[in-house]
Amino acid sequence: MSSPRKSESRAGLLFASPWFLGFLVFLAYPLLASIYYSFCDYSVLKAPVWVGLSNYRELWRDDVFWITLKNTGVYALFALPLGVVVSLALALMLNAKVRGLAFYRTAIYIPSLVPLVSLAVLWLWMFNGEYGLVNVGLKHLGLGSPPWLSDPAWSKPALVVMSLWGLGNAVVIYLAGLQDVPQEMLEAAELDGARSWDKTRHVTLPMISPVILFNVIMGIIGTLQIFTVPYVMFPGGVPARSTYFYAMYLFDNAFRFHKMGYACAMGWIMFLIIFVLTMVSLRASEKSVHYGGS
Amino acid sequence: MIATPMELGSLKLALMAAVVAGSAIYSEFLTTPAPEKGAVHVTYWEKWTEFEGDAMRAVVDEFNREHPNIHVDLLTISNIQDKTLMAVAGGVPPDVAGLFGPDVAQYADDNAVLILDDYCKKAGIKPDDYIRPFWDMSFYRGHVYALPSAPASTALHYNKTLMQESGLDPNKPPKTIEELDSMSDRITKFGPNHSLLRAGFMPAEPGWWNWAWGYNFGGRLWDGKDKITALSPENIRAFTWIQHFAKIYGSQALQTFRSGFGNFSSPQNAFLDGKVAMEQQGVWMYNFISKYAPGLKWGAVPFPYPADRPDLKDMTYADEDILVIPRGAKHPNEAFEFIKFVESQKGMELLCMGQRKNSPLKKVSPEFYAKHPNPFIRLFTDLPKGKNTVEPPKLGIWPEYQDALNNAFDEVNLLKSTPAEALKEVQDRMQPELDEYLLRLRARGVIK
């Protein structure tokens, strides 16, 4: 490498060094350390003691681990498809050329700016069985008033409904994708006699399929790591552990029960689950996702 | 000599790096408070905000006024247990941390807090200065690991208006559990389709002591050594009593009714709102009554006991906030000087009056009682002096055990399990946990 190029790359590395340092100290080291700790009895305050696979074996026998895994899976199973469908539908509507579009787009996006803790407190009131807006509305429609917060049968549906509140980010990503759908293809389809739904189904959706895949993968990661909202709304996963999610149990093990090694093992199991699901999504989408360059 | 573009680039780079580094140092300088001349700064993390936080701030201000050589910097911290844990692990703990009484065992077992035996001896602080449970909660495995700040005890709070409306004498609150049940039946009101409109009593409200009901029937949660005793006949009896409310009210009706309750600290609080007529509550309840329902006619009496167990009369749940010196604190001597001030009658009464709680000290000035706004302050002070005071078990696995008991309570209250099934689940889960915990402590040499 010539001297100016060497010097340039040195300068480049120097400029990038804050990020490299941050990456090494705050990401790479904790990641590697957590693999090691997952094989240790480690309370944070005492030196870690190597226990081999003991944490993983114990997790296998831990009923609460399986309950939280199941709760998280059930939540993801409903919240993820619902989120994808609703956000896509909203994006398609917001892509139409109607009056007041800027207002609608802003109105859909703004809720996703609300901090999660504030959101949880707000929805505690929204779901209040007697005074809550949700039940007041349902009562007017003659649909009764479900005990959203105190009945295990309703607590997870409450969180699934709530998850729709923060769809603004996904909608914006879909909208960006929709702007890139070539107008000439839509016009060509129209000339061939395609109706509105046909155009959406055969042109728009295939063209934005990489964006859909991206949102699905981000959704898998997000829903499987649900934490803040149930942590505030349902402390301890009440009622009867129906809202005790994986990340909550992991947090409790790490910081309340002082079982950091156990929590690290949980973290790596969740990583593997997310990794496998992401790989499966990518593999499953090979035939249905159309990339511009391919 | 003319510099080449390359050299100029390097110079710019070096200059920019210097500016960034300089800014960092300067900002650190700007944000670090200048120490007072000769004063040692003691960092104190406390969890309370609002009037409880103001009360502690008043104590800190008084201490700072009286001690020109020490300055306590009070910092309000949320999730104080997690953050203290991390700070100790990171070697940058505060000098004093305001934790909760039940944290003592866990933090002591992990060697996260200093033993205060010598400090107490030197300062003349003795167990006899305190009402027994409040000293006892700070004392663990033969050592003092903490000292109490504001304590609390509980009693049955009852709504006199609802009693009167139901044809009961508001001046004759229940003495036994059986009387409580029968009065509850009289006060409870159902609407159409067996919907619950008002409950006389429900063990799930406010839900903070779901783990403790066994004690009211003579049960214990462990034997003090190595046995979990969740599945005892007394605990089963308590959980059967809990479940009988769910059966009377109807599980579905009960959940629908509870879903209409507002936050504890709001006018929609079930007790303040007149939805629940009788409730186990702490000394702090007065504050919320005066704030959100000043017109409420209420009373407080010792929680009822089973008629066949008069020995369980005057039972109360005791709890307290504690002050600890975390391991690695930079100024432990000065930190204890502050704790000593809090433990003095003057400091403690200033704090407990501000937080409107009872004092953990045996010696209380007549002015404290005279000026205390809670009309039942003597009851809350006297109850923990009795033999039937419940303290959370001093177990390192207590947070996990408490979660398991809370879940058992929910299972029973939702009619999903029988009391014996729910408690067996707790027993089967927690006994191996305790065995393993003790094994680890033995391996580390913490116990023999």
Side-chain angles (χ1 to χ4, degrees), chain B residues 115-362:
Chain B
I115 292 175
L116 304 179
D117 295 356
D118 291 342
Y119 286 113
C120 287
K121 207 169 164 186
K122 214 166 149 189
I125 294 175
K126 308 178 294 297
D128 272 357
D129 299 338
Y130 296 84
I131 296 169
R132 186 195 51 80
F134 300 124
W135 173 266
D136 195 45
M137 271 189 261
S138 309
F139 193 73
Y140 181 62
R141 296 196 197 286
H143 298 291
V144 183
Y145 282 96
L147 284 169
S149 48
S153 55
T154 62
L156 180 78
H157 288 59
Y158 60 97
N159 183 323
K160 290 186 171 181
T161 310
L162 295 185
M163 286 183 78
Q164 205 156 15
E165 269 178 34
S166 312
L168 297 163
D169 184 347
N171 297 314
K172 284 189 181 164
K175 284 186 178 150
T176 63
I177 294 266
E178 288 72 10
E179 284 175 17
L180 174 76
D181 291 350
S182 122
M183 288 184 185
S184 174
D185 288 346
R186 292 272 295 272
I187 297 170
T188 299
K189 263 169 76 172
F190 291 98
N193 302 323
H194 199 72
S195 61
L196 195 53
L197 300 178
R198 185 169 79 195
F201 178 81
M202 54 169 63
E205 195 54 32
W208 300 328
W209 302 284
N210 292 347
W211 56 270
W213 290 114
Y215 288 90
N216 290 79
F217 291 81
R220 292 285 176 274
L221 294 173
W222 73 311
D223 70 349
K225 290 176 191 159
D226 55 3
K227 291 275 177 292
I228 295 290
T229 57
L231 194 59
S232 68
E234 293 86 358
N235 287 334
I236 293 176
R237 185 180 174 194
F239 272 57
T240 308
W241 175 71
I242 290 161
Q243 198 167 54
H244 105 275
F245 285 98
K247 285 180 178 166
I248 291 173
Y249 299 143
S251 179
Q252 193 60 38
L254 183 59
Q255 301 324 318
T256 307
F257 181 58
R258 288 188 66 208
S259 76
F261 295 175
N263 294 342
F264 171 75
S265 178
S266 78
Q268 286 78 30
N269 173 305
F271 181 73
L272 305 181
D273 203 12
K275 283 199 167 80
V276 176
M278 296 180 282
E279 225 178 77
Q280 171 98 280
Q281 268 297 354
V283 60
W284 54 78
M285 195 60 187
Y286 160 79
N287 304 316
F288 298 92
I289 295 172
S290 60
K291 187 172 178 184
Y292 295 117
L296 185 77
K297 287 180 183 152
W298 65 287
V301 287
F303 197 85
Y305 54 93
D308 59 346
R309 294 292 304 267
D311 56 311
L312 298 174
K313 210 176 158 189
D314 293 343
M315 184 157 284
T316 186
Y317 303 157
D319 206 343
E320 68 185 11
D321 298 329
I322 51 166
L323 296 176
V324 298
I325 303 179
R327 172 163 53 89
K330 288 184 186 68
H331 308 106
N333 295 336
E334 290 79 4
F336 192 80
E337 198 61 35
F338 169 65
I339 294 177
K340 192 172 95 179
F341 178 77
V342 177
E343 301 307 309
S344 68
Q345 191 180 341
K346 179 186 173 185
M348 192 57 83
E349 289 189 10
L350 186 60
L351 174 67
C352 296
M353 179 66 85
Q355 294 200 352
R356 289 160 226 158
K357 289 176 179 160
N358 45 309
S359 170
L361 299 174
K362 279 184 185 163

Side-chain angles (χ1 to χ4, degrees), chain A residues 4 7-8 11 14-15 41 43-46 58 62-64 124-125 127-131 145 147 150-152 238-241 244 249 251-252 254-260, chain B residues 6 13 16 82 85-86 88-89 106-107 109-112 252 255-256 259-263 266 268 273 275 327 399-400 403-404 407 410-411 414 416 425 429 433 436 440 444:
Chain A
S7 177
E8 264 179 33
L14 200 62
F15 270 112
D41 172 19
S43 76
V44 179
L45 295 163
K46 296 268 187 184
E58 215 176 300
D62 182 351
D63 293 342
V64 179
L124 272 176
W125 280 109
F127 279 129
N128 183 289
E130 191 173 329
Y131 309 103
S145 44
S150 55
D151 188 334
V238 292
R241 292 199 179 117
Y244 204 21
Y249 189 44
F251 179 88
D252 281 346
F255 299 107
R256 286 185 60 225
F257 309 155
H258 296 193
K259 288 156 86 173
M260 188 58 88
Chain B
M6 209 51 235
L13 197 67
M16 281 166 73
D82 314 340
L85 172 79
M86 288 294 110
V88 173
Q106 204 181 18
Y107 281 75
D109 282 345
D110 272 337
N111 190 25
Q252 193 60 38
Q255 301 324 318
T256 307
S259 76
F261 295 175
N263 294 342
S266 78
Q268 286 78 30
D273 203 12
K275 283 199 167 80
R327 172 163 53 89
E400 211 171 341
D403 280 7
N407 182 60
D410 273 359
E411 296 268 332
L414 291 160
K416 285 176 78 179
E425 200 183 310
R429 180 172 174 77
E433 286 284 340
E436 200 180 311
R440 283 207 302 264
R444 283 186 205 155

Side-chain angles (χ1 to χ4, degrees), chain A residues 232-247:
Chain A
V232 175
M233 285 180 78
F234 302 98
V238 292
R241 292 199 179 117
S242 62
T243 55
Y244 204 21
F245 293 102
Y246 197 92

Side-chain angles (χ1 to χ4, degrees), chain A residues 49-118:
Chain A
V49 177
W50 182 265
V51 292
L53 286 169
S54 170
N55 286 328
Y56 291 93
R57 270 200 299 269
E58 215 176 300
L59 276 170
W60 183 258
R61 292 191 299 261
D62 182 351
D63 293 342
V64 179
F65 167 78
W66 291 107
I67 290 170
T68 56
L69 194 60
K70 187 182 141 204
N71 284 341
T72 310
V74 169
Y75 169 77
L77 204 64
F78 287 94
L80 180 63
L82 190 70
V84 169
V85 170
V86 173
S87 54
L88 187 56
L90 284 172
L92 286 168
M93 284 193 268
L94 291 177
N95 200 39
K97 288 177 180 60
V98 290
R99 281 182 68 182
L101 196 60
F103 169 77
Y104 294 129
R105 286 180 177 177
T106 312
I108 296 286
Y109 183 67
I110 274 182
S112 61
L113 297 177
V114 177
L116 288 177
V117 172
S118 317

